[in-house]
Structures are given as structure tokens and as C-alpha cells.
Amino acid sequence: AGARSRPRRTCPPPGPPGSRYDVRVLTEDLRPIANSYGLASTEFKVDPSAVASYPAGARLLWQVVAISPEGRRTTSPTFIVKLQ
């Protein structure tokens, strides 16, 4: 069996330099898969073990909050990715 690709998403759009990012990844029935807070990077990868029990094609919900250096919070729309 081949390795599963990890779901990965770039934050839309990046905040100003010095921004931090909070990421939440949930199943469609709102079970948490992964959370990360205070990320300096605009990219986040879900640990493969967190999605190993889900079939290809399963849909995951992502939401990103960008926090500017001044503390302003901007929340992305929730978007959907499919496991491959």
C-alpha cells in the first residue's frame, strides 16, 4: 500500500509580517482532528496518524484565525478538504 498524502492547507491570505495563526481541523460531524495555536508559518500539516482511520475522500473542515502583531484577529471562512 502506498503512503497516504497528508492534508495540508495554506492560510488564506497571509497576515502582515509578525502575524500568528491558530488552526482548527474537524471532521464533518465536528470531531477535532488537529488544533494548533500561535503558528508563525502560514502552512500547517496534519499528523498522518490523526487521519489514518478515515477513508480516502473523507471531508475535513479547516478554519484559520490570523492574529496581527497588534492583536487584531481575522477568522477565515471554514473550508473543506478531502483526504486523498
Side-chain angles (χ1 to χ4, degrees):
R4 284 183 75 157
S5 61
R6 292 187 273 187
R8 167 175 143 171
R9 178 61 68 171
T10 300
C11 300
S19 292
R20 298 286 179 180
Y21 303 91
D22 295 346
V23 178
R24 295 186 332 165
V25 182
L26 308 161
T27 62
E28 285 188 292
D29 61 357
L30 305 181
R31 285 182 284 156
I33 295 290
N35 293 307
S36 190
Y37 303 97
L39 295 170
S41 172
T42 59
E43 189 168 279
F44 175 73
K45 295 179 183 178
V46 173
D47 186 317
S49 66
V51 294
S53 64
Y54 294 93
R59 294 161 38 122
L60 300 179
L61 309 176
W62 289 66
Q63 189 174 58
V64 178
V65 177
I67 303 112
S68 74
E70 297 80 27
R72 183 170 169 238
R73 300 172 69 84
T74 304
T75 303
S76 75
T78 301
F79 47 98
I80 298 171
V81 295
K82 287 186 180 182
L83 290 177
Q84 297 180 5

Coordinates of all heavy atoms in Angstrom, one line a residue:
A1 N 0.8 -1.2 0.0 CA 0.0 0.0 0.0 C 0.9 1.2 0.0 O 1.9 1.3 0.7 CB -0.9 0.0 1.2
G2 N 0.5 2.2 -0.8 CA 1.2 3.5 -0.8 C 1.0 4.4 0.4 O 0.0 4.2 1.1
A3 N 1.8 5.3 0.6 CA 1.7 6.2 1.7 C 0.5 7.2 1.4 O 0.4 7.6 0.3 CB 3.0 7.0 1.9
R4 N -0.2 7.5 2.4 CA -1.3 8.5 2.2 C -0.7 9.9 2.2 O 0.2 10.2 3.0 CB -2.3 8.4 3.4 CG -3.2 7.2 3.3 CD -4.1 7.2 4.4 NE -5.1 8.2 4.2 CZ -6.3 8.2 4.7 NH1 -6.7 7.3 5.5 NH2 -7.2 9.1 4.4
S5 N -1.3 10.7 1.4 CA -0.9 12.1 1.5 C -1.5 12.8 2.6 O -2.6 12.5 3.0 CB -1.2 12.8 0.2 OG -2.6 12.9 0.0
R6 N -0.8 13.7 3.2 CA -1.3 14.4 4.4 C -2.1 15.6 4.0 O -1.7 16.3 3.1 CB -0.1 14.9 5.3 CG 0.6 13.8 5.9 CD 1.6 14.3 6.9 NE 2.8 14.6 6.1 CZ 4.0 15.0 6.7 NH1 4.0 15.2 8.0 NH2 5.0 15.2 6.0
P7 N -3.2 15.9 4.6 CA -4.0 17.1 4.3 C -3.1 18.3 4.7 O -2.5 18.3 5.7 CB -5.2 17.0 5.1 CG -5.1 15.9 6.0 CD -3.9 15.1 5.6
R8 N -3.1 19.3 3.9 CA -2.2 20.5 4.1 C -2.9 21.7 3.5 O -3.5 21.6 2.4 CB -0.9 20.1 3.5 CG 0.0 21.2 3.3 CD 1.3 20.5 2.8 NE 1.9 21.4 1.9 CZ 3.1 21.1 1.4 NH1 3.7 20.1 1.7 NH2 3.6 22.0 0.5
R9 N -2.8 22.8 4.1 CA -3.5 23.9 3.6 C -2.7 25.2 4.0 O -2.2 25.3 5.0 CB -4.9 24.0 4.2 CG -5.7 25.2 3.9 CD -6.1 25.3 2.4 NE -6.9 24.2 2.0 CZ -7.5 24.1 0.8 NH1 -7.3 25.1 -0.1 NH2 -8.3 23.2 0.5
T10 N -2.6 26.1 3.0 CA -2.0 27.4 3.3 C -3.1 28.4 3.7 O -4.2 28.4 3.2 CB -1.3 27.9 2.0 OG1 -0.3 27.0 1.6 CG2 -0.7 29.3 2.3
C11 N -2.8 29.2 4.7 CA -3.8 30.1 5.3 C -4.1 31.2 4.2 O -3.3 31.7 3.6 CB -3.2 30.9 6.5 SG -2.7 29.8 7.8
P12 N -5.4 31.4 4.0 CA -5.8 32.5 3.0 C -6.2 33.8 3.7 O -7.0 33.7 4.6 CB -7.0 31.8 2.4 CG -7.6 31.0 3.5 CD -6.5 30.6 4.4
P13 N -5.7 34.9 3.2 CA -4.4 35.2 2.8 C -3.5 35.4 4.0 O -4.0 35.6 5.1 CB -4.5 36.4 2.0 CG -5.6 37.2 2.6 CD -6.6 36.1 3.2
P14 N -2.1 35.4 3.8 CA -1.3 35.6 5.0 C -1.5 37.0 5.6 O -1.8 38.0 4.8 CB 0.1 35.5 4.4 CG 0.0 35.0 3.0 CD -1.4 35.1 2.6
G15 N -1.3 37.1 6.9 CA -1.4 38.4 7.5 C -0.1 39.2 7.4 O 0.8 38.8 6.7
P16 N -0.1 40.4 8.0 CA 1.1 41.2 7.9 C 2.3 40.5 8.6 O 2.1 39.6 9.4 CB 0.8 42.5 8.6 CG -0.4 42.2 9.5 CD -1.1 41.0 8.8
P17 N 3.5 40.9 8.2 CA 4.7 40.3 8.9 C 4.5 40.3 10.4 O 4.0 41.3 11.0 CB 5.9 41.1 8.5 CG 5.4 41.7 7.2 CD 3.9 41.9 7.3
G18 N 4.9 39.2 11.1 CA 4.8 39.1 12.5 C 3.5 38.5 13.0 O 3.3 38.3 14.2
S19 N 2.6 38.2 12.1 CA 1.3 37.6 12.4 C 1.5 36.2 12.9 O 2.5 35.5 12.6 CB 0.3 37.6 11.2 OG -0.1 38.8 10.9
R20 N 0.5 35.7 13.7 CA 0.5 34.3 14.2 C -0.8 33.7 13.8 O -1.8 34.5 13.4 CB 0.6 34.3 15.7 CG 1.8 34.9 16.3 CD 3.0 33.9 16.1 NE 4.2 34.5 16.6 CZ 5.3 33.8 16.5 NH1 5.4 32.6 15.9 NH2 6.4 34.4 17.0
Y21 N -0.9 32.4 13.7 CA -2.1 31.7 13.2 C -2.5 30.6 14.1 O -1.7 29.9 14.6 CB -1.7 31.1 11.8 CG -1.3 32.2 10.8 CD1 0.1 32.5 10.7 CD2 -2.2 33.0 10.1 CE1 0.5 33.5 9.9 CE2 -1.7 34.0 9.3 CZ -0.4 34.2 9.2 OH 0.1 35.2 8.3
D22 N -3.8 30.5 14.3 CA -4.5 29.4 15.0 C -5.2 28.6 13.9 O -5.9 29.2 13.1 CB -5.5 29.9 16.0 CG -4.8 30.7 17.2 OD1 -3.6 30.6 17.3 OD2 -5.6 31.4 17.9
V23 N -5.1 27.3 14.0 CA -5.7 26.4 13.0 C -6.5 25.4 13.7 O -6.0 24.8 14.7 CB -4.6 25.7 12.1 CG1 -5.3 24.8 11.1 CG2 -3.8 26.7 11.4
R24 N -7.7 25.1 13.3 CA -8.6 24.1 13.8 C -9.0 23.2 12.6 O -9.4 23.7 11.6 CB -9.8 24.6 14.4 CG -9.5 25.4 15.7 CD -10.7 25.8 16.5 NE -11.9 26.0 15.6 CZ -13.1 26.1 16.1 NH1 -13.3 26.0 17.4 NH2 -14.2 26.3 15.4
V25 N -8.9 21.9 12.8 CA -9.3 20.9 11.8 C -10.3 20.0 12.4 O -10.0 19.4 13.5 CB -8.1 20.2 11.2 CG1 -8.5 19.2 10.1 CG2 -7.0 21.1 10.7
L26 N -11.4 19.8 11.8 CA -12.5 19.0 12.4 C -13.1 18.0 11.3 O -13.0 18.3 10.1 CB -13.7 19.9 12.8 CG -13.3 21.0 13.8 CD1 -14.5 22.0 13.8 CD2 -13.1 20.5 15.2
T27 N -13.7 17.0 11.7 CA -14.5 16.1 10.8 C -15.8 16.9 10.5 O -16.2 17.8 11.2 CB -14.8 14.8 11.4 OG1 -15.6 15.0 12.6 CG2 -13.5 14.0 11.8
E28 N -16.6 16.3 9.6 CA -17.8 17.0 9.2 C -18.8 16.9 10.4 O -19.7 17.7 10.5 CB -18.5 16.3 8.0 CG -17.8 16.7 6.7 CD -18.5 16.2 5.5 OE1 -18.5 15.0 5.3 OE2 -19.1 17.0 4.8
D29 N -18.7 15.9 11.3 CA -19.5 15.9 12.5 C -18.9 16.6 13.7 O -19.3 16.4 14.8 CB -20.0 14.4 12.8 CG -18.8 13.5 13.1 OD1 -17.6 14.0 13.0 OD2 -19.0 12.3 13.4
L30 N -17.9 17.4 13.4 CA -17.3 18.4 14.3 C -16.4 17.7 15.4 O -16.2 18.3 16.4 CB -18.3 19.3 14.9 CG -19.2 20.1 14.0 CD1 -20.2 20.9 14.7 CD2 -18.4 20.9 13.0
R31 N -15.9 16.5 15.1 CA -14.9 15.9 16.0 C -13.5 16.5 15.7 O -13.1 16.6 14.5 CB -14.9 14.4 15.8 CG -16.0 13.7 16.5 CD -16.0 12.2 16.3 NE -16.3 11.9 14.9 CZ -16.0 10.8 14.3 NH1 -15.3 9.9 14.9 NH2 -16.4 10.7 13.0
P32 N -12.8 17.0 16.7 CA -11.5 17.6 16.4 C -10.5 16.6 15.9 O -10.4 15.4 16.4 CB -11.0 18.1 17.8 CG -12.1 17.8 18.8 CD -13.2 17.0 18.1
I33 N -9.8 17.0 14.9 CA -8.7 16.2 14.3 C -7.3 16.8 14.7 O -6.4 16.1 15.1 CB -8.8 16.1 12.7 CG1 -10.0 15.4 12.3 CG2 -7.5 15.5 12.1 CD1 -10.0 13.9 12.5
A34 N -7.2 18.1 14.6 CA -6.0 18.8 15.0 C -6.3 20.2 15.3 O -7.2 20.8 14.7 CB -5.0 18.7 13.8
N35 N -5.5 20.7 16.2 CA -5.5 22.2 16.6 C -4.1 22.6 16.8 O -3.3 21.9 17.3 CB -6.3 22.4 17.9 CG -7.7 22.1 17.8 OD1 -8.4 22.6 17.0 ND2 -8.2 21.3 18.7
S36 N -3.8 23.8 16.4 CA -2.5 24.4 16.6 C -2.7 25.9 16.8 O -3.5 26.5 16.1 CB -1.6 24.1 15.4 OG -0.2 24.4 15.8
Y37 N -2.0 26.4 17.8 CA -2.1 27.8 18.1 C -0.8 28.5 18.1 O 0.2 28.0 18.5 CB -2.8 27.9 19.5 CG -4.1 27.2 19.6 CD1 -4.2 25.9 20.1 CD2 -5.2 27.8 19.1 CE1 -5.4 25.2 20.2 CE2 -6.5 27.1 19.2 CZ -6.5 25.8 19.7 OH -7.7 25.2 19.7
G38 N -0.8 29.8 17.7 CA 0.3 30.6 17.7 C 1.4 30.3 16.6 O 2.6 30.6 16.8
L39 N 1.0 29.7 15.5 CA 1.9 29.3 14.4 C 2.5 30.6 13.8 O 1.7 31.5 13.5 CB 1.2 28.5 13.4 CG 0.7 27.1 13.8 CD1 -0.2 26.6 12.6 CD2 1.8 26.2 14.1
A40 N 3.8 30.6 13.5 CA 4.4 31.7 12.8 C 4.3 31.5 11.3 O 4.3 32.4 10.5 CB 5.8 31.8 13.3
S41 N 4.2 30.2 10.9 CA 4.1 29.9 9.5 C 2.7 29.9 8.9 O 1.8 29.7 9.7 CB 4.7 28.5 9.3 OG 4.5 28.1 7.9
T42 N 2.5 30.2 7.7 CA 1.2 30.1 7.0 C 0.9 28.7 6.5 O -0.1 28.5 5.8 CB 1.1 31.1 5.9 OG1 2.1 30.8 4.9 CG2 1.2 32.5 6.4
E43 N 1.7 27.7 6.9 CA 1.4 26.4 6.5 C 1.3 25.5 7.7 O 2.0 25.6 8.6 CB 2.5 25.9 5.5 CG 2.1 24.5 4.9 CD 3.1 24.2 3.7 OE1 2.9 24.7 2.6 OE2 4.0 23.5 4.0
F44 N 0.3 24.5 7.6 CA 0.1 23.6 8.7 C -0.1 22.2 8.1 O -0.9 22.1 7.2 CB -1.1 24.0 9.5 CG -1.5 23.0 10.6 CD1 -0.7 22.9 11.7 CD2 -2.6 22.3 10.5 CE1 -1.1 22.0 12.7 CE2 -3.0 21.4 11.5 CZ -2.2 21.3 12.6
K45 N 0.5 21.2 8.7 CA 0.3 19.8 8.2 C -0.3 19.0 9.3 O 0.2 19.0 10.5 CB 1.7 19.2 7.8 CG 2.3 19.9 6.6 CD 3.6 19.3 6.2 CE 4.2 20.0 5.1 NZ 5.5 19.5 4.7
V46 N -1.3 18.2 9.0 CA -2.0 17.4 10.0 C -1.1 16.1 10.1 O -0.7 15.5 9.1 CB -3.4 17.0 9.5 CG1 -4.0 15.9 10.4 CG2 -4.3 18.2 9.5
D47 N -0.9 15.6 11.3 CA -0.1 14.4 11.5 C -0.9 13.3 10.9 O -2.1 13.1 11.1 CB 0.0 14.2 13.0 CG 0.9 13.0 13.4 OD1 0.8 11.9 12.7 OD2 1.6 13.1 14.3
P48 N -0.2 12.4 10.1 CA -0.9 11.3 9.4 C -1.6 10.4 10.3 O -2.7 9.9 10.0 CB 0.2 10.6 8.7 CG 1.3 11.6 8.5 CD 1.2 12.5 9.7
S49 N -1.1 10.2 11.6 CA -1.8 9.3 12.5 C -3.2 9.8 12.9 O -4.1 9.1 13.2 CB -1.0 9.1 13.7 OG -0.8 10.3 14.5
A50 N -3.4 11.2 12.8 CA -4.7 11.7 13.2 C -5.8 11.4 12.1 O -7.0 11.5 12.5 CB -4.6 13.3 13.3
V51 N -5.4 11.1 10.9 CA -6.4 10.8 9.9 C -6.3 9.4 9.3 O -7.0 9.0 8.4 CB -6.3 11.8 8.7 CG1 -6.6 13.2 9.1 CG2 -4.9 11.8 8.1
A52 N -5.5 8.6 10.0 CA -5.2 7.2 9.5 C -6.5 6.4 9.4 O -6.6 5.5 8.5 CB -4.2 6.5 10.3
S53 N -7.4 6.6 10.3 CA -8.6 5.8 10.4 C -9.8 6.3 9.4 O -10.8 5.7 9.3 CB -9.2 5.7 11.8 OG -9.6 7.0 12.2
Y54 N -9.5 7.4 8.7 CA -10.5 7.9 7.8 C -10.2 7.5 6.4 O -9.1 7.5 5.9 CB -10.5 9.5 7.9 CG -11.0 9.9 9.3 CD1 -10.1 10.2 10.3 CD2 -12.3 10.0 9.6 CE1 -10.5 10.6 11.5 CE2 -12.8 10.4 10.8 CZ -11.8 10.7 11.8 OH -12.2 11.1 13.1
P55 N -11.3 7.2 5.6 CA -11.1 6.7 4.2 C -10.7 7.9 3.3 O -11.0 9.0 3.6 CB -12.5 6.1 3.9 CG -13.4 6.9 4.7 CD -12.7 7.2 6.0
A56 N -10.1 7.5 2.2 CA -9.9 8.5 1.1 C -11.2 9.1 0.7 O -12.3 8.4 0.7 CB -9.2 7.8 -0.1
G57 N -11.2 10.4 0.5 CA -12.5 11.1 0.2 C -13.2 11.7 1.4 O -14.1 12.5 1.2
A58 N -12.8 11.3 2.6 CA -13.4 11.9 3.8 C -13.1 13.4 3.8 O -12.1 13.9 3.3 CB -12.8 11.3 5.1
R59 N -14.1 14.1 4.2 CA -14.0 15.6 4.2 C -13.7 16.2 5.6 O -14.3 15.7 6.6 CB -15.3 16.2 3.7 CG -15.6 15.8 2.2 CD -17.0 15.9 1.8 NE -17.8 17.0 2.3 CZ -18.3 18.0 1.5 NH1 -18.2 17.9 0.2 NH2 -19.0 18.9 2.0
L60 N -12.7 17.1 5.6 CA -12.3 17.7 6.8 C -12.6 19.2 6.7 O -12.4 19.8 5.7 CB -10.8 17.5 7.1 CG -10.4 16.1 7.2 CD1 -8.9 16.0 7.5 CD2 -11.1 15.4 8.4
L61 N -13.0 19.8 7.8 CA -13.2 21.2 7.9 C -12.0 21.9 8.5 O -11.5 21.5 9.5 CB -14.5 21.5 8.7 CG -15.7 20.7 8.4 CD1 -16.8 21.0 9.4 CD2 -16.2 21.0 7.0
W62 N -11.6 23.0 7.9 CA -10.5 23.8 8.4 C -11.0 25.2 8.6 O -11.7 25.8 7.9 CB -9.4 23.9 7.3 CG -8.6 22.7 7.0 CD1 -9.1 21.5 6.5 CD2 -7.3 22.4 7.2 NE1 -8.1 20.6 6.3 CE2 -7.0 21.1 6.8 CE3 -6.2 23.2 7.7 CZ2 -5.7 20.6 6.8 CZ3 -5.0 22.7 7.8 CH2 -4.7 21.4 7.4
Q63 N -10.4 25.8 9.7 CA -10.6 27.2 9.9 C -9.3 27.8 10.5 O -8.7 27.2 11.3 CB -11.8 27.5 10.9 CG -12.1 28.9 11.0 CD -13.3 29.2 11.9 OE1 -13.4 28.8 13.0 NE2 -14.4 29.8 11.3
V64 N -9.0 29.0 10.0 CA -7.8 29.7 10.4 C -8.1 31.0 11.0 O -8.9 31.7 10.4 CB -6.8 29.8 9.2 CG1 -5.6 30.6 9.6 CG2 -6.5 28.5 8.5
V65 N -7.4 31.4 12.1 CA -7.5 32.7 12.6 C -6.2 33.3 12.6 O -5.2 32.7 13.1 CB -8.0 32.7 14.1 CG1 -8.0 34.1 14.7 CG2 -9.4 32.0 14.2
A66 N -6.1 34.5 11.9 CA -4.8 35.2 11.8 C -4.8 36.3 12.9 O -5.8 37.0 13.1 CB -4.6 35.9 10.4
I67 N -3.7 36.4 13.7 CA -3.6 37.4 14.7 C -2.5 38.3 14.3 O -1.3 37.8 14.3 CB -3.4 36.7 16.1 CG1 -4.6 35.8 16.4 CG2 -3.3 37.8 17.2 CD1 -4.2 34.4 16.5
S68 N -2.8 39.5 14.1 CA -1.7 40.5 13.7 C -0.9 40.8 14.9 O -1.2 40.6 16.0 CB -2.4 41.8 13.1 OG -2.9 42.5 14.2
P69 N 0.3 41.4 14.6 CA 1.2 41.8 15.8 C 0.4 42.8 16.7 O 0.8 42.8 17.9 CB 2.3 42.5 15.1 CG 2.4 42.0 13.7 CD 0.9 41.7 13.3
E70 N -0.6 43.5 16.3 CA -1.3 44.4 17.1 C -2.4 43.7 17.9 O -3.2 44.3 18.7 CB -1.9 45.6 16.3 CG -0.9 46.5 15.6 CD -0.3 45.9 14.3 OE1 -1.0 45.0 13.7 OE2 0.8 46.2 14.0
G71 N -2.6 42.4 17.6 CA -3.7 41.7 18.3 C -5.0 41.6 17.5 O -5.9 41.0 18.0
R72 N -5.1 42.1 16.3 CA -6.3 42.1 15.6 C -6.5 40.6 15.1 O -5.6 40.1 14.5 CB -6.2 43.0 14.4 CG -7.5 43.1 13.6 CD -7.5 44.2 12.6 NE -8.6 44.0 11.7 CZ -8.5 43.9 10.4 NH1 -7.3 44.0 9.8 NH2 -9.5 43.7 9.6
R73 N -7.7 40.1 15.3 CA -8.0 38.7 14.8 C -8.9 38.7 13.6 O -9.9 39.4 13.6 CB -8.7 38.0 16.0 CG -7.8 37.9 17.2 CD -8.6 37.3 18.4 NE -8.9 35.9 18.3 CZ -8.0 34.9 18.6 NH1 -6.8 35.2 19.0 NH2 -8.4 33.7 18.4
T74 N -8.5 37.9 12.6 CA -9.2 37.8 11.4 C -9.5 36.3 11.2 O -8.5 35.5 11.1 CB -8.5 38.4 10.2 OG1 -8.2 39.7 10.4 CG2 -9.3 38.3 8.9
T75 N -10.8 35.9 11.1 CA -11.1 34.5 11.0 C -11.5 34.2 9.6 O -12.3 34.9 8.9 CB -12.3 34.2 11.9 OG1 -11.9 34.5 13.3 CG2 -12.7 32.7 11.8
S76 N -10.9 33.1 9.0 CA -11.2 32.7 7.7 C -12.6 32.1 7.6 O -13.1 31.6 8.6 CB -10.2 31.7 7.2 OG -10.4 30.4 7.8
P77 N -13.2 32.0 6.4 CA -14.3 31.1 6.3 C -13.9 29.7 6.6 O -12.7 29.4 6.4 CB -14.7 31.3 4.8 CG -14.0 32.5 4.3 CD -12.8 32.7 5.2
T78 N -14.8 28.9 6.9 CA -14.5 27.4 7.1 C -14.4 26.8 5.7 O -15.3 27.1 4.8 CB -15.6 26.7 7.9 OG1 -15.6 27.3 9.2 CG2 -15.3 25.2 8.1
F79 N -13.3 26.1 5.4 CA -13.2 25.5 4.1 C -13.0 24.0 4.2 O -12.7 23.5 5.3 CB -12.1 26.1 3.2 CG -10.8 26.3 3.9 CD1 -9.8 25.5 3.8 CD2 -10.6 27.5 4.7 CE1 -8.6 25.7 4.4 CE2 -9.4 27.7 5.3 CZ -8.4 26.8 5.2
I80 N -13.3 23.3 3.2 CA -13.3 21.8 3.2 C -12.2 21.3 2.3 O -12.0 21.7 1.2 CB -14.7 21.3 2.6 CG1 -15.8 21.8 3.6 CG2 -14.7 19.8 2.5 CD1 -17.2 21.5 3.0
V81 N -11.5 20.2 2.8 CA -10.5 19.5 2.1 C -10.9 18.0 2.1 O -11.5 17.6 3.1 CB -9.1 19.7 2.6 CG1 -8.6 21.1 2.4 CG2 -8.9 19.3 4.0
K82 N -10.6 17.3 1.1 CA -10.8 15.8 1.0 C -9.5 15.1 1.2 O -8.5 15.5 0.6 CB -11.5 15.5 -0.3 CG -12.9 15.9 -0.5 CD -13.5 15.3 -1.7 CE -14.9 15.7 -1.9 NZ -15.5 15.2 -3.1
L83 N -9.5 14.0 2.0 CA -8.4 13.2 2.1 C -8.1 12.5 0.8 O -9.1 12.1 0.1 CB -8.6 12.2 3.2 CG -8.6 12.7 4.7 CD1 -8.9 11.6 5.6 CD2 -7.3 13.4 5.0
Q84 N -6.9 12.3 0.5 CA -6.5 11.5 -0.7 C -5.9 10.2 -0.4 O -5.3 10.1 0.7 CB -5.6 12.4 -1.6 CG -6.3 13.6 -2.0 CD -5.4 14.5 -2.9 OE1 -4.3 14.1 -3.3 NE2 -5.8 15.6 -3.3

